[in-house]
Amino acid sequence: VTWQPEVQLTTAQGAYRVSMDASGPDVYLTWMDYRSDTTWDVYYRKSLNYGATWQQEVKVVAGTNSFGAERPDIAVNDSSVHLFYMAAEDTASSCIIEGTTLPLCSGAFYKRSLDGGATWGAPTRLDPGTTFAGRPIATIVPPSTIVITWEGLDGTVPVDKLEPYTLSSTDNGTTWNTIQQMRNLPDNAGHPNITSNGTNVHLAWHDLRSPAATEIYYRESLDAGVTWQPEELVSNTSAASWVPTLGTTTNYVHALFGDGGSGFPYYSRRLLTKTTSIDGISTSMG
């Protein structure tokens, strides 16, 4: 209904790709930052009082090359803070992503703090490390499960294609289970997004399988990412549908995505306890 005055949260220009999560009164913020004027670094900042005041900015990941550390995502479970990002820290070869050549091929990396962000462990690469992985996003399933998704090249010969992947940890990020590829079709699929409610995990991505238009597809896990239900078509527009974002309320899972024809955001939802097909047709919010 009303909003307090806006607050500038970074002290230098070049902040981009912001992610935020909260646990009680503690609010955790991360972003990629170009203040070094040479590469992207990942910064972090915390509030102990619901965002009223903020602690000092901290550089959590320093970019080690021209690619840097990019697109961070943060997920909080009590005092455990989980940070995911893409970087080319240990990969020197280039790769081609949807027709664009990256001089350095990135992977999906993870860092963890067990003391509310005061100290951080060493980075861990979560993808296989043989080709591109990027745009990592995670969700927490209490008490101690983390499920992460990213887009990655699948190594198909002769042409790599992007696929959505998932990976879970049941011990708060100490060890990780087997990577799962969420579909396997000839055309690209990317920009996966993930959320959860209880032990149900919800995953969506945009998918180029249809010659008519890019569409949004969805899969649900009822057991915290161990197994996944059959995919469902979410979007129903005449133009391309891109970059889904998911959220849940008490009774529904909600999907918001871009439309390449109108330029408006579109929205669809379905019941969390699914007894029929998707209950709504995409509706313009423009």
Side-chain angles (χ1 to χ4, degrees), residues 80-104:
S80 298
V81 187
H82 306 278
L83 178 69
F84 304 87
Y85 60 97
M86 57 187 291
E89 293 183 8
D90 57 3
T91 304
S93 60
S94 65
C95 51
I96 299 176
I97 310 298
E98 296 179 315
T100 300
T101 299
L102 298 180
L104 295 172

Side-chain angles (χ1 to χ4, degrees), residues 136-210:
I137 297 177
T139 189
I140 302 293
V141 180
S144 58
T145 294
I146 311 164
V147 186
I148 179 179
T149 185
W150 67 79
E151 63 177 25
L153 294 175
D154 70 346
T156 301
V157 177
V159 179
D160 278 356
K161 58 184 170 58
L162 287 174
E163 294 284 355
Y165 292 86
T166 61
L167 177 64
S168 64
S169 167
T170 58
D171 54 11
N172 202 39
T174 301
T175 61
W176 294 87
N177 300 318
T178 303
I179 296 170
Q180 299 186 65
Q181 185 172 328
M182 301 309 295
R183 45 140 267 176
N184 186 12
L185 293 170
D187 297 297
N188 286 316
H191 276 83
N193 191 267
I194 199 167
T195 192
S196 58
N197 68 298
T199 58
N200 290 25
V201 181
H202 309 276
L203 176 73
W205 65 89
H206 67 228
D207 195 299
L208 283 71
R209 74 182 68 178
S210 169

Side-chain angles (χ1 to χ4, degrees), residues 61-69 85-95 103-110 123-133:
V61 183
T64 59
N65 48 46
S66 59
F67 189 98
Y85 60 97
M86 57 187 291
E89 293 183 8
D90 57 3
T91 304
S93 60
S94 65
C95 51
L104 295 172
C105 201
S106 73
F109 286 82
Y110 167 67
T124 300
R125 184 164 188 163
L126 298 179
D127 68 288
T130 56
T131 186
F132 169 83

Side-chain angles (χ1 to χ4, degrees), residues 215-249:
E215 300 288 2
I216 306 301
Y217 281 80
Y218 163 89
R219 293 186 73 177
E220 180 181 20
S221 172
L222 306 179
D223 52 14
V226 177
T227 62
W228 294 85
Q229 300 299 304
E231 63 186 14
E232 305 171 27
L233 178 64
V234 175
S235 58
N236 183 24
T237 65
S238 58
S241 299
W242 297 95
V243 191
T245 298
L246 296 176
T248 62
T249 52

